């Protein structure tokens, strides 16, 4: 059973945010998105097992030794567990890229990562964040017809299925993300004050339908390391596309606001 702190409380958006409801929209179209959308296939068993089997997960960013000692930006690695922390259900690891790009562009760099099966190492999901200047954008994919024996750890735009997109929206003194499952309707919106650590996903009516909750890891870890601990509550999300959008938001939030080199 999920702890009560993870349950999505269904409540109205505060009145001062009511004007934000009109911001729900369709995902902007572009050639790359349309090309991927044309190749949709039924969801793979691995993605279904990973996302549908859990109503909430814990995502923990692992310690980067060189970042801690000399400030070098390393490839990111996350451990994904159930809410009690007793079972590792996957690893999210950065793939590709190069050392120079990571040092020069930091969290603005082009970023690709794979969610891997904890036993076989087979890719379950892929995440891609293109280079950006001001507002980040993230796409989540699943391996088309993936099996537990599939060890190809690279994204294939022509075959892999686009599940969701997460678009950061710039605003002064606020942290805003728009969440889009693959069929283009806007599933939810995060609109937080600058220093909030709990990122609530709300629907068009202002009801809470999910959350990404950044947990305090201790003063030493928070000041001197890039480790992060997140409770990802899928709340009212039912499809793997909706859940992928919330998981993608957690990755973007970690990159955009809780890395030592964010900015």
């Amino acid at each position: 059973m999920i702890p009560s702190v993870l349950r999505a409380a269904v409540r109205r958006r505060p009145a001062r945010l009511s004007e934000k409801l009109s911001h729900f929209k369709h995902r902007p179209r572009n050639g790359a998105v349309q090309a991927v959308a044309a190749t949709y296939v039924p969801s793979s068993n691995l993605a279904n097992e990973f996302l549908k089997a859990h109503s909430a997960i814990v995502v923990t960013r692992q310690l980067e030794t060189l970042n801690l000692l000399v400030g070098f930006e390393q490839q990111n690695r996350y451990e994904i567990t159930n809410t009690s922390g007793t079972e590792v259900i996957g690893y999210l690891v950065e793939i590709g890229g190069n050392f120079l790009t990571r040092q020069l562009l930091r969290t603005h760099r082009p970023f690709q990562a794979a969610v891997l099966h904890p036993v076989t190492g087979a890719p379950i999901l892929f995440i891609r964040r293109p280079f950006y200047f001001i507002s980040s954008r993230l796409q989540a994919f699943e391996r088309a017809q993936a099996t537990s024996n599939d060890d190809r750890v690279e994204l294939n735009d022509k075959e892999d299925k686009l599940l969701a997109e997460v678009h950061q929206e710039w605003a002064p003194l606020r942290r805003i993300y728009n969440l889009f499952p693959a069929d283009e309707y806007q599933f939810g919106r995060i609109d937080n004050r600058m220093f909030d650590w709990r990122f609530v996903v709300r629907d068009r009516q202002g009801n809470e339908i999910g959350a990404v909750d950044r947990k305090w890891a201790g003063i030493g870890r928070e000041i001197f390391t890039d480790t992060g601990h997140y409770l990802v509550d899928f709340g009212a999300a039912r499809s793997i596309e909706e859940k992928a959008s919330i998981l993608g938001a957690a990755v973007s939030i970690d990159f955009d606001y809780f890395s030592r080199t964010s900015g």
Side-chain angles (χ1 to χ4, degrees), residues 97-131:
N98 62 71
F99 178 82
L100 184 60
T101 300
R102 287 194 294 273
Q103 307 322 305
L104 294 178
L105 300 180
R106 299 290 184 168
T107 56
H108 292 261
R109 68 183 184 270
F111 170 86
Q112 289 194 35
V115 176
L116 305 178
H117 191 279
V119 177
T120 67
I124 303 170
L125 300 169
F126 290 97
I127 287 175
R128 177 169 64 193
R129 276 172 48 112
F131 167 78

Side-chain angles (χ1 to χ4, degrees), residues 63-83:
L63 179 66
E64 300 173 10
T65 307
L66 289 179
N67 188 292
L68 173 62
L69 296 177
V70 292
F72 284 159
E73 188 74 14
Q74 296 178 259
Q75 286 181 310
N76 289 354
R77 179 183 175 90
Y78 302 79
E79 181 182 73
I80 305 172
T81 67
N82 59 6
T83 55

Side-chain angles (χ1 to χ4, degrees), residues 52-253:
K52 284 196 171 181
H54 302 278
S55 56
I57 58 177
V58 175
V59 180
T60 303
R61 186 171 178 175
Q62 302 297 288
L63 179 66
E64 300 173 10
T65 307
L66 289 179
N67 188 292
L68 173 62
L69 296 177
V70 292
F72 284 159
E73 188 74 14
Q74 296 178 259
Q75 286 181 310
N76 289 354
R77 179 183 175 90
Y78 302 79
E79 181 182 73
I80 305 172
T81 67
N82 59 6
T83 55
S84 63
T86 58
E87 179 187 1
V88 177
I89 60 176
Y91 295 97
L92 194 157
V93 296
E94 185 174 355
I95 55 178
N98 62 71
F99 178 82
L100 184 60
T101 300
R102 287 194 294 273
Q103 307 322 305
L104 294 178
L105 300 180
R106 299 290 184 168
T107 56
H108 292 261
R109 68 183 184 270
F111 170 86
Q112 289 194 35
V115 176
L116 305 178
H117 191 279
V119 177
T120 67
I124 303 170
L125 300 169
F126 290 97
I127 287 175
R128 177 169 64 193
R129 276 172 48 112
F131 167 78
Y132 72 97
F133 282 107
I134 299 175
S135 298
S136 66
R137 181 170 63 91
L138 178 146
Q139 295 175 309
F141 299 80
E142 70 168 322
R143 169 56 45 84
Q145 307 296 346
T147 68
S148 59
N149 297 319
D150 188 348
D151 59 358
R152 297 170 295 144
V153 187
E154 60 181 7
L155 176 63
N156 186 327
D157 280 326
K158 294 182 179 180
E159 295 182 3
D160 295 331
K161 177 185 175 183
L162 177 65
L163 291 177
E165 292 191 6
V166 179
H167 295 185
Q168 185 185 31
E169 180 181 322
W170 185 88
L173 302 180
R174 300 201 71 80
R175 297 171 169 178
I176 300 176
Y177 292 91
N178 296 301
L179 282 61
F180 300 91
D183 54 5
E184 297 186 21
Y185 74 93
Q186 183 168 352
F187 167 67
R189 179 178 171 87
I190 295 172
D191 189 345
N192 269 36
R193 294 171 298 184
M194 178 58 69
F195 299 107
D196 288 347
W197 277 28
R198 187 168 192 267
F199 294 78
V200 177
V201 183
R202 298 188 185 277
D203 64 13
R204 185 182 296 272
Q205 288 71 43
N207 299 321
E208 182 176 331
I209 55 175
V212 177
D213 197 350
R214 174 62 149 83
K215 293 300 184 181
W216 176 258
I219 189 168
R221 283 180 172 267
E222 294 294 347
I223 294 177
F224 298 110
T225 76
D226 260 352
T227 56
H229 189 77
Y230 301 85
L231 291 173
V232 181
D233 178 12
F234 295 123
R238 293 294 177 262
S239 69
I240 65 171
E241 290 83 4
E242 292 171 349
K243 288 188 173 183
S245 71
I246 298 177
L247 176 60
V251 175
S252 276
I253 287 166

Side-chain angles (χ1 to χ4, degrees), residues 28-59:
R29 280 188 172 273
N30 58 60
V33 170
Q34 291 185 62
V36 174
T39 65
Y40 280 4
V41 296
S43 298
S44 69
N45 289 331
L46 287 181
N48 271 299
E49 290 173 5
F50 177 75
L51 289 172
K52 284 196 171 181
H54 302 278
S55 56
I57 58 177
V58 175
V59 180

Side-chain angles (χ1 to χ4, degrees), residues 12-15 17-25 186 189 191 202-207:
R12 297 291 299 176
R13 180 191 299 257
L17 294 181
S18 59
E19 70 276 8
K20 300 290 185 180
L21 296 178
S22 62
H23 288 218
F24 275 71
K25 51 199 173 187
Q186 183 168 352
R189 179 178 171 87
D191 189 345
R202 298 188 185 277
D203 64 13
R204 185 182 296 272
Q205 288 71 43
N207 299 321

